[in-house]
Amino acid sequence: MDSMDQFLASVEKRAFSMAMMGVGHRDDALDIVQDAMFALVRRYHHKAREQWRPLFFTILNNRITDWHRRRKTISRWQLLRERVAADDGEEDEFEPADFPDLYGARPEQDVFSERTLAAIEQAVSALPLRQQQAFLLRCVEGFDIAETAAAMACSGGSVKTHLSRALQALRPLLEDVR
Amino acid sequence: MSANKNSERARRNALAAGAAREALARRERNLDGETLSRLRRARSRALDQRQRLAGLWLPLGGVCAAALALALWLPGRGGSDVAAVESTLLADVWLLDEEAELEMIEDVEFYQWLAEEALDDRAS
């Protein structure tokens, strides 16, 4: 197995999960992942290996956004609502790397109930696209603000705003976790 | 906002991130065989294209080299025309290589369009 093969194998399931959350259709999600793989190999296989991951997730996000553009499911009202809501939103300063320190080596499975995980998965899937992308890239994939902004083709400030709104929506679901 | 409230919010943020990571990991552990198989096939097809690309770039490189050689060996005999052909070919090669950047420019235009649409809605 060569290094590109290894890389794609290491991200394909995560890419599929993100695409599924983004578009909600398995076949479309698979097409998006395949498209992203093709684009990475075609254009960037000659780049240094450490660049593949941010490039791949950037391409993946662009494909998910394109999917929404084609289906016109990003409504103007949703975008407007987000922009207006963002004006009065407080920004969260959040460092994903803090999480392991909270629980040490304790497996996450011990912390969250099945019910909480299902609720979180459903809530992340239901987030507006840009919030979902900011949350998944920053908090789940661990990209920093600059990398997330590059992947989403927006400013770091916009990333913080989207992330803040996403976390605001997700926090109440963790009421029963102590 | 009190320090306690901030700290509780940070804890919840971290929990949300952890729960989302675990939810995704759980989803990935439970992927069905057909999905896994299609992901493997997609990966394999993506990697196969490298061979095809290598086959495509070899003759293209040859054409460019031939154009360059012609320009060098025929100075003063319509050399400027040859140089023009050569530079066109090289420009095409550059364009092919820059396809990704063109797409990124398109994406930026899309976001500009979205922003303008939102502003229009706001104004009306």
Side-chain angles (χ1 to χ4, degrees), chain A residues 16-32:
Chain A
F16 173 71
S17 294
M18 289 174 74
M20 265 301 282
M21 283 183 159
V23 305
H25 295 86
R26 190 183 75 151
D27 287 348
D28 288 350
L30 283 166
D31 285 347
I32 285 169

Side-chain angles (χ1 to χ4, degrees), chain B residues 32-98:
Chain B
D32 61 284
E34 194 200 332
T35 301
L36 290 172
S37 163
R38 286 176 65 177
L39 285 171
R40 273 196 299 272
R41 284 204 303 274
R43 178 175 16 124
S44 173
R45 278 198 291 267
L47 292 167
D48 281 350
Q49 71 176 319
R50 275 188 307 187
Q51 314 299 327
R52 294 198 296 276
L53 283 174
L56 180 72
W57 280 96
L58 210 60
L60 196 55
V63 169
C64 290
L68 190 61
L70 205 59
L72 289 172
W73 279 99
L74 295 174
R77 297 176 63 186
S80 60
D81 291 344
V82 174
V85 170
E86 173 212 342
S87 65
T88 305
L89 282 168
L90 290 175
D92 287 346
V93 172
W94 178 84
L95 262 181
L96 284 171
D97 199 32
E98 297 301 312

Side-chain angles (χ1 to χ4, degrees), chain A residues 85-147:
Chain A
D87 288 344
D88 60 359
E90 269 187 73
E91 289 180 359
D92 283 276
E93 286 303 326
F94 175 61
E95 181 47 64
D98 288 344
F99 179 71
D101 296 334
L102 291 175
Y103 296 98
R106 194 177 170 192
E108 288 169 356
Q109 291 95 313
D110 290 349
V111 179
F112 306 110
S113 67
E114 286 295 308
R115 191 166 60 87
T116 302
L117 292 180
I120 281 283
E121 186 175 344
Q122 195 176 11
V124 174
S125 299
L127 286 173
L129 181 64
R130 304 293 279 163
Q131 290 181 25
Q132 186 186 91
Q133 290 176 332
F135 176 75
L136 290 175
L137 290 169
R138 178 93 177 97
C139 300
V140 176
E141 288 306 309
F143 287 119
D144 62 27
I145 289 286
E147 289 169 328

Side-chain angles (χ1 to χ4, degrees), chain A residues 2 5 12 14 17 26-27 34 38 43-44 62 76 87 92 99 103 114 121 130 171, chain B residues 9 13-15 21 26-28 32 34-35 38 43 45 49-50 100 107 111 117 121-122:
Chain A
D2 70 17
D5 196 359
E12 64 190 12
R14 176 54 47 91
S17 294
R26 190 183 75 151
D27 287 348
Q34 173 166 301
F38 264 73
R43 296 172 197 150
Y44 300 114
N62 287 341
R76 296 171 180 186
D87 288 344
D92 283 276
F99 179 71
Y103 296 98
E114 286 295 308
E121 186 175 344
R130 304 293 279 163
R171 274 197 299 265
Chain B
R9 198 164 70 157
N13 288 346
L15 282 171
R21 272 187 230 135
R26 186 183 65 157
R27 175 200 274 267
E28 287 153 23
D32 61 284
E34 194 200 332
T35 301
R38 286 176 65 177
R43 178 175 16 124
R45 278 198 291 267
Q49 71 176 319
R50 275 188 307 187
D107 286 337
Y111 291 117
E117 290 289 296
D121 282 349
R122 216 170 179 173

Side-chain angles (χ1 to χ4, degrees), chain A:
Chain A
M1 195 183 258
D2 70 17
S3 56
M4 178 60 86
D5 196 359
Q6 279 176 347
F7 169 74
L8 292 178
S10 73
V11 293
E12 64 190 12
K13 290 181 190 169
R14 176 54 47 91
F16 173 71
S17 294
M18 289 174 74
M20 265 301 282
M21 283 183 159
V23 305
H25 295 86
R26 190 183 75 151
D27 287 348
D28 288 350
L30 283 166
D31 285 347
I32 285 169
V33 174
Q34 173 166 301
D35 236 29
M37 286 177 170
F38 264 73
L40 183 79
V41 173
R42 189 165 65 242
R43 296 172 197 150
Y44 300 114
H45 70 273
H46 58 282
K47 297 268 188 189
R49 187 184 170 133
E50 60 269 21
Q51 291 181 283
W52 289 347
R53 195 164 165 272
L55 285 168
F56 178 72
F57 282 102
T58 299
I59 297 166
L60 184 77
N61 269 289
N62 287 341
R63 293 296 185 273
I64 293 169
T65 305
D66 284 346
W67 183 95
H68 282 271
R69 173 168 44 174
R70 282 196 301 274
R71 280 157 185 76
K72 298 180 177 160
T73 52
I74 298 179
S75 78
R76 296 171 180 186
W77 290 112
Q78 181 185 332
L79 189 72
L80 180 60
R81 224 174 32 239
E82 279 192 59
R83 289 171 69 98
V84 170
D87 288 344
D88 60 359
E90 269 187 73
E91 289 180 359
D92 283 276
E93 286 303 326
F94 175 61
E95 181 47 64
D98 288 344
F99 179 71
D101 296 334
L102 291 175
Y103 296 98
R106 194 177 170 192
E108 288 169 356
Q109 291 95 313
D110 290 349
V111 179
F112 306 110
S113 67
E114 286 295 308
R115 191 166 60 87
T116 302
L117 292 180
I120 281 283
E121 186 175 344
Q122 195 176 11
V124 174
S125 299
L127 286 173
L129 181 64
R130 304 293 279 163
Q131 290 181 25
Q132 186 186 91
Q133 290 176 332
F135 176 75
L136 290 175
L137 290 169
R138 178 93 177 97
C139 300
V140 176
E141 288 306 309
F143 287 119
D144 62 27
I145 289 286
E147 289 169 328
T148 306
M152 294 177 64
C154 65
S155 68
S158 293
V159 169
K160 287 181 182 175
T161 301
H162 289 309
L163 187 57
S164 175
R165 307 305 296 185
L167 288 166
Q168 200 170 38
L170 298 175
R171 274 197 299 265
L173 300 171
L174 283 306
E175 291 289 347
D176 59 343
V177 181
R178 295 286 167 216

